[in-house]
């Protein structure tokens, strides 16, 4: 299968902490490592892990974190086609992973996304079995719409409406206010919506049909939640590209999300050992 992701990448510093610090307090972190992550990057790697040949259309800063992000993703089996923004440093983030495995993210810098005017070989999208979009301008999304299946997140923002491109599925979290969806504002309404509900699973609607799903059993001990939603979306994208039905696709997404929840960081192997001792206090 040929798959693509159109979206963003961040160079992320992960820090294990006993708890997210309250205002005015100090916690001691440990198990720190850096990795290329963010919604687009995580989905691209998960699609590759599932067996797809993946092209990642993105934008990177012209600095060391940007170059490291490209190298890391290529090492993870993703073909990276990136517009290098010479006037913009690579967007970074700090992710705190607490003792319960929950993640809290602080982003640093402007979101970097590819644009239709970038010379990235956009014509190849017409040959893709499936595409997942997390970021880009309206023209980038129109080009992505030439693939056999197109899945997107509301985090794309205004280009979702401006592109007037019908999505095969819009995947979003019901628990995240930044992913709130007003379908009445879409000129081309998504053919299906997939709404995740955390540990409760989720619900989907496709025309007059609708259904729910439960979370998949964890294949190992819970580690942390970073990247679970993006891995879920990648699983859905992969399954739709294979021609599976939407009920089958959300089950595939649930399995990808469950797999991610058992990993330290979003990928099968972190770049540094994740185990460490952390404590609170000064």
């Amino acid at each position: 299968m040929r798959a693509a992701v159109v979206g963003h990448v961040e160079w992320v510093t992960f820090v294990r902490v006993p708890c997210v610090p309250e205002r005015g307090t100090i916690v001691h972190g440990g198990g720190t490592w850096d990795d290329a992550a963010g919604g687009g990057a995580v989905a691209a790697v998960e699609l590759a892990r599932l067996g797809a040949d993946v092209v990642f259309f993105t934008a990177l800063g012209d600095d060391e974190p940007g170059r490291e992000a490209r190298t890391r993703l290529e090492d993870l089996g993703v073909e990276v086609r990136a517009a290098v923004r010479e006037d913009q440093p690579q967007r970074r983030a700090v992710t705190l992973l607490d003792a319960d495995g929950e993640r809290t993210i602080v982003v640093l810098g402007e979101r970097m996304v590819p644009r239709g005017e970038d010379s990235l070989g956009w014509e190849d999208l017409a040959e893709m079995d499936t595409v997942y979009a997390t970021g880009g301008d309206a023209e980038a999304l129109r080009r992505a719409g030439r693939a056999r299946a197109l899945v997107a997140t509301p985090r794309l923002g205004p280009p979702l409406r401006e592109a007037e491109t019908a999505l095969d599925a819009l995947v979003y979290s019901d628990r995240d206010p930044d992913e709130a969806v007003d379908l009445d504002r879409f000129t081309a309404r998504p053919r299906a919506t997939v709404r995740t509900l955390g540990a409760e699973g989720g619900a989907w609607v496709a025309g007059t049909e609708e259904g729910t799903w439960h979370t998949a059993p964890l294949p190992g001990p819970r580690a942390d939640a970073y990247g679970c939603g993006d891995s879920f979306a990648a699983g859905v994208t992969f399954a739709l590209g294979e021609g599976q039905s939407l009920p089958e696709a959300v089950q595939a997404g649930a399995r990808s999300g469950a797999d991610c929840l058992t990993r330290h960081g979003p990928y099968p192997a972190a770049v540094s050992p994740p185990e460490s001792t952390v404590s609170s206090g000064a």
Side-chain angles (χ1 to χ4, degrees):
M1 179 196 296
R2 296 196 67 191
V5 173
V6 177
H8 67 293
V9 57
E10 293 151 1
W11 189 249
V12 181
T13 297
F14 294 89
V15 185
R16 293 204 169 278
V17 294
C19 61
V20 176
E22 297 181 6
R23 183 182 182 190
T25 64
I26 298 173
V27 297
H28 290 184
T32 301
W33 73 95
D34 294 332
D35 214 341
V42 171
V45 174
E46 178 64 10
L47 282 165
R49 189 186 75 86
L50 291 170
D53 293 326
V54 182
V55 181
F56 183 23
F57 294 79
T58 190
L60 295 170
D62 187 20
D63 54 12
E64 190 59 28
R67 290 185 284 274
E68 289 183 356
R70 179 192 292 271
T71 298
R72 172 62 168 157
L73 292 172
E74 290 174 342
D75 288 345
L76 288 165
V78 174
E79 178 187 338
V80 179
R81 298 190 190 179
V84 177
R85 307 292 187 220
E86 296 181 357
D87 59 344
Q88 190 174 354
Q90 178 61 42
R91 193 190 202 198
R92 305 191 64 166
V94 176
T95 297
L96 304 180
L97 303 171
D98 67 25
D100 294 325
E102 188 52 85
R103 90 289 187 271
T104 301
I105 304 171
V106 179
V107 292
L108 308 169
E110 295 298 319
R111 199 165 190 254
M112 305 178 69
V113 298
R115 298 189 287 263
E117 65 187 24
D118 296 322
S119 298
L120 300 178
W122 292 106
E123 63 276 5
D124 290 345
L125 287 170
E127 305 300 322
M128 297 295 170
D129 296 298
T130 191
V131 176
Y132 178 54
T134 73
D137 65 1
E139 182 56 29
L141 191 58
R142 291 187 194 103
R143 293 173 183 268
R146 297 171 186 168
R148 191 172 82 180
L150 175 60
V151 181
T153 167
R155 288 182 177 272
L156 268 157
L160 271 177
R161 299 182 295 275
E162 295 166 359
E164 299 184 351
T165 298
L167 306 173
D168 291 280
L170 182 67
V171 179
Y172 65 99
S173 169
D174 196 56
R175 308 288 172 81
D176 189 338
D178 289 335
E179 295 187 3
V181 175
D182 183 359
L183 293 177
D184 290 335
R185 298 184 65 186
F186 284 73
T187 301
R189 292 175 69 92
R191 298 183 181 95
T193 58
V194 177
R195 178 167 54 98
T196 63
L197 297 166
E200 298 174 23
W204 58 268
V205 177
T208 59
E209 298 181 326
E210 58 184 69
T212 61
W213 76 89
H214 298 291
T215 54
L218 296 183
R222 177 186 171 109
D224 67 66
Y226 186 91
C228 289
D230 304 310
S231 295
F232 170 86
V236 171
T237 302
F238 184 90
L240 291 178
E242 283 193 320
Q244 296 185 42
S245 67
L246 189 58
E248 292 171 325
V250 296
Q251 294 294 341
R255 291 192 294 272
S256 285
D259 285 346
C260 185
L261 191 56
T262 65
R263 299 195 288 261
H264 296 281
Y267 310 131
V271 294
S272 65
E275 298 300 331
S276 65
T277 300
V278 293
S279 61
S280 60

